[in-house]
């Protein structure tokens, strides 16, 4: 969905930050660091770049402690671009 190589991300998870839209990247990195530090669930909605196109994504994940005491995050990424586009169109209609 994000056009990322699984092996590259597994080797260096920070590679995933490269797909976050530059205007949203700082917020995402800060949010991600806070969530990991506190072992909290993640919820983030923002823009990503996929094949040169801007897409809106909703990311949700929950932490799970592994047997070796590390934490893995498991969740979903949902493309909400169509929803965002529909809301923008509705707002334009109400503005006219």
């Amino acid at each position: 969905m994000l056009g990322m190589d699984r092996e590259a991300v597994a080797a260096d998870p920070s590679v995933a930050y490269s797909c976050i839209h530059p205007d949203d990247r700082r917020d995402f990195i800060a949010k991600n660091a806070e969530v990991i530090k506190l072992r909290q669930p993640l919820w983030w909605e923002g823009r990503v770049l996929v094949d040169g196109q801007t897409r809106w994504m909703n990311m949700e994940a929950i932490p799970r402690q592994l047997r070796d005491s590390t934490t893995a995050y498991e969740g979903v990424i949902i493309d909400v671009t169509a929803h965002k586009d529909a809301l923008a169109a509705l707002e334009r209609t109400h503005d006219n």
Side-chain angles (χ1 to χ4, degrees), residues 18-67:
S18 67
C19 73
I20 305 297
H21 191 281
D23 293 343
D24 294 343
R25 192 173 294 145
R26 181 175 289 168
D27 172 59
F28 179 78
I29 290 171
K31 176 76 169 182
N32 197 47
E34 176 185 0
V35 162
I36 290 171
K37 178 182 176 185
L38 300 174
R39 291 188 178 151
Q40 295 179 332
L42 168 71
W43 185 89
W44 182 80
E45 186 171 271
R47 295 166 292 177
V48 298
L49 299 172
V50 179
D51 296 328
Q53 293 185 342
T54 300
R55 310 287 301 169
W56 280 91
M57 298 291 174
N58 176 297
M59 299 180 186
E60 297 185 42
I62 56 171
R64 181 172 62 90
Q65 188 168 354
L66 303 177
R67 290 183 182 162

Side-chain angles (χ1 to χ4, degrees), residues 5-21:
D5 180 65
R6 173 178 242 158
E7 290 76 27
V9 174
D12 179 7
S14 69
V15 168
Y17 298 151
S18 67
C19 73
I20 305 297
H21 191 281

